[in-house]
């Protein structure tokens, strides 16, 4: 029905992709003194692989350990006094939780953060330390987000979404301005993608000022919602998610960043779990930087196809909040993927000195034994047999082959 004379029709909602570089500049001004201008470090190793300079944008050294504080602060700072009085609520397993907690605390706003029951204890403790009330709910983030939405409806608290809001995208886009200022000669920017807020924000800033710069997004193979979504022309939900990179483990693209990424991001690639592990290990060993799997995804892409990137390249290390226990498992996985860690099971005759003889063979080929499990009573074994499981530190794939060959030549049956 057409409005009667004197009625004023409601204004149409703004288009999803109305975020401009001016919005990002305003966010950058707002974040002055709040977010750090993080370092840009060169990587000789990656530069050698790519054949051009590669720089690491160290957002893992940002306050709260990731870029999330940028968008969270801009979003909360944009609330009016009535909204601030009602407080804010968020749902997150880690980085967004800490970003919201710190941003709210700096702005004098009460914050409640819902976290899944299995969230790493260091992240839970850090979120509380930054000033948030933490409530544990659900086993996965989707359940936690529903609880946060219900809380918002019941209390009037403002839900701070991790990526699906224009203020959040503008805040994350300030990274793009910093990259152009710190590395004006950049030709390619590589950034991890979960829901898409960071990649969208960077693309808005960079493409407005330097349309010649290529922006490449990276997703984990087991949580890659963007390739099928871009092909379909709309956000598509994944039925299952499987990746160690919880920072980009998002089953559906955000509506706000999706349109921007479709228009402005040049390419979205995927990386495997082995590539993520190897990238994390490389960051630790070569760059002396602690980076979480999601933050290492751009490095994983560089390792996967180094010749396909035009340099100079900037890889965004988006976060460094990794649980120590997970780090231990990832490093072991990364060492195995790089041929630096070898697990073997073999059988030998159960007699005095048999284990010492086996270890002598390994000593000759210079394999460092990390752990030994010696089983003699398994019903699968013969009366005169024992099974040994070995975890070895090796020097690379060729050394692994040499170790296996030496064991077989010594008469051992290598089972794995």
């Amino acid at each position: 029905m057409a409005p009667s004379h004197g009625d004023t029709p409601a204004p149409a909602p703004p288009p999803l992709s109305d975020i401009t570089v001016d919005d990002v500049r305003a966010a950058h001004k707002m974040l002055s003194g709040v977010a750090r201008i993080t370092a840009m470090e060169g990587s000789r190793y990656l530069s050698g692989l790519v054949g051009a300079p590669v720089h690491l944008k160290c957002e893992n050294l940002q306050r709260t350990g990731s870029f999330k504080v940028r968008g969270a602060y801009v979003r909360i700072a944009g609330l009016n006094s009535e909204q601030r009085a009602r407080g804010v609520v968020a749902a997150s397993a880690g980085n967004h939780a800490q970003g919201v907690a710190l941003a709210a605390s700096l702005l004098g706003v009460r914050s409640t953060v819902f976290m899944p029951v299995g969230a790493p204890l260091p992240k839970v403790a850090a979120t509380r330390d930054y000033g948030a009330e933490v409530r544990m709910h659900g086993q996965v983030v989707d359940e936690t987000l529903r609880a946060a939405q219900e809380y918002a409806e019941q209390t009037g608290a403002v839900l701070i979404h991790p990526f699906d809001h224009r203020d959040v995208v503008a805040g994350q886009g300030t990274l793009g301005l910093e990259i152009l200022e710190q590395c004006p000669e950049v030709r390619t920017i590589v950034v991890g993608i979960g829901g898409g807020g960071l990649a969208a924000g960077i693309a808005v800033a960079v493409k407005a000022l330097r349309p010649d710069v290529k922006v490449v997004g990276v997703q984990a193979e087991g949580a890659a919602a963007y390739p099928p979504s871009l092909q379909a022309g709309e956000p598509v939900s994944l039925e299952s998610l499987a990746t160690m990179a919880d920072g980009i483990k998002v089953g559906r693209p955000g509506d706000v960043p999706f349109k921007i990424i479709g228009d402005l991001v040049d390419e979205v690639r995927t990386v495997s779990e082995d590539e993520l592990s190897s990238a994390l290990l490389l960051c630790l060993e070569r760059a002396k930087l602690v980076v979480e799997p999601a933050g290492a995804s751009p490095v994983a892409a560089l390792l996967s196809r180094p010749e396909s990137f035009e340099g100079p390249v900037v890889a965004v290390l988006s976060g460094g909040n990794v649980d120590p226990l997970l780090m231990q498992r990832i490093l072991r996985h990364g060492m195995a993927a790089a041929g630096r860690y070898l697990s073997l099971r073999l059988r030998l005759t159960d007699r005095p000195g048999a284990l010492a003889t086996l270890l002598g063979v390994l000593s000759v080929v210079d394999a460092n034994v990390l752990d030994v499990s010696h089983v003699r009573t398994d019903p699968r074994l013969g009366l005169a047999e024992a099974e040994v499981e070995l975890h070895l530190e090796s020097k690379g794939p060729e050394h692994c082959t040499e170790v296996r060959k030496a064991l077989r030549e010594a008469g051992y049956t290598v089972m794995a």
Side-chain angles (χ1 to χ4, degrees):
M1 181 188 304
S4 60
H5 181 70
D7 288 344
T8 302
L16 292 178
S17 59
D18 70 333
I19 305 167
T20 69
V21 68
D22 288 335
D23 296 316
V24 179
R25 284 179 172 138
H28 190 60
K29 184 177 180 180
M30 187 181 298
L31 287 168
S32 177
V34 175
R36 295 172 181 153
I37 298 177
T38 49
M40 185 85 75
E41 299 287 345
S43 171
R44 270 194 310 177
Y45 181 79
L46 291 173
S47 297
L49 289 180
V50 173
V54 174
H55 304 279
L56 306 176
K57 177 60 171 167
C58 300
E59 201 66 3
N60 58 311
L61 303 179
Q62 183 58 261
R63 297 180 71 175
T64 75
S66 86
F67 69 96
K68 288 289 190 178
V69 68
R70 296 174 182 263
Y73 188 91
V74 173
R75 172 74 173 104
I76 297 172
L79 301 179
N80 60 39
S81 57
E82 180 184 348
Q83 291 171 319
R84 292 192 187 196
R86 297 201 300 266
V88 298
V89 61
S92 168
N95 289 349
H96 181 58
Q98 294 172 69
V100 168
L102 176 60
S105 179
L106 291 173
L107 291 163
V109 177
R110 184 179 70 258
S111 64
T112 302
V113 177
F114 285 78
M115 303 184 76
V117 172
L121 293 179
K123 294 184 178 182
V124 175
T127 303
R128 287 196 175 106
D129 288 344
Y130 285 125
E133 177 190 347
V134 175
R135 300 191 180 191
M136 311 303 293
H137 184 92
Q139 299 298 320
V140 295
V141 175
D142 285 344
E143 296 174 358
T144 308
L145 180 58
R146 284 194 292 272
Q149 290 169 332
E150 291 174 2
Y151 178 87
E153 293 169 0
Q154 294 167 1
T155 65
V158 179
L159 179 67
I160 307 300
H161 200 281
F163 51 81
D164 211 6
H165 193 280
R166 65 185 316 281
D167 289 346
V168 172
V169 172
Q172 320 303 29
T174 58
L175 256 173
L177 297 180
E178 289 181 20
I179 290 171
L180 293 183
E181 183 174 347
Q182 293 173 307
C183 186
E185 68 277 14
V186 63
R187 298 293 299 168
T188 306
I189 297 172
V190 192
V191 56
I193 296 182
L198 177 60
I202 288 176
V204 166
V206 170
K207 290 296 186 178
L209 301 174
R210 287 281 306 280
D212 59 302
V213 174
K214 188 174 183 180
V215 179
V216 177
V218 184
Q219 292 206 286
E221 285 179 354
Y226 265 89
S229 297
L230 292 170
Q231 186 174 8
E234 61 182 7
V236 173
S237 298
L238 297 179
E239 293 183 1
S240 62
L241 300 170
T243 179
M244 70 178 79
D246 57 349
I248 53 174
K249 191 177 180 180
V250 178
R252 181 187 184 278
D255 292 324
V256 173
F258 176 76
K259 178 66 167 61
I260 298 170
I261 287 174
D263 290 343
L264 300 180
V265 171
D266 297 275
E267 183 183 358
V268 177
R269 301 187 182 189
T270 61
V271 292
S272 69
E273 298 298 285
D274 281 351
E275 288 163 345
L276 286 169
S277 296
S278 297
L280 189 147
L281 184 61
L282 184 143
C283 288
L284 186 62
E285 286 192 327
R286 299 279 183 154
K288 314 306 178 192
L289 292 169
V290 175
V291 183
E292 62 189 274
S297 59
V299 175
L302 292 174
L303 292 175
S304 174
R305 292 169 54 197
E307 74 289 344
S308 65
F309 292 91
E310 181 183 0
V313 177
V314 171
V316 180
L317 307 183
S318 57
N321 292 320
V322 57
D323 179 63
L325 295 177
L326 176 62
M327 171 71 88
Q328 185 179 22
R329 294 197 299 270
I330 292 172
L331 289 179
R332 180 169 289 188
H333 188 84
M335 289 179 69
R340 302 258 309 280
Y341 185 87
L342 181 61
S343 295
L344 296 171
R345 277 192 310 116
L346 46 86
R347 290 186 180 179
L348 64 156
T349 303
D350 187 16
R351 58 177 176 76
L355 182 58
T357 301
L358 169 62
L359 296 178
V361 174
L362 296 173
S363 176
V364 170
V365 291
D366 202 22
N368 186 31
V369 179
L370 300 176
D371 188 37
V372 178
S373 176
H374 190 200
V375 178
R376 304 171 66 185
T377 58
D378 194 300
R380 297 172 301 168
L381 299 173
L383 290 176
E385 285 186 322
E387 185 173 287
V388 176
E389 183 174 349
L390 297 163
H391 300 287
L392 310 173
E393 183 181 4
S394 59
K395 300 174 183 178
E398 292 181 0
H399 190 212
C400 290
T401 301
E402 181 186 350
V403 171
R404 291 177 183 274
K405 181 181 177 181
L407 289 170
R408 290 192 177 98
E409 289 179 349
Y412 295 102
T413 302
V414 180
M415 304 171 62

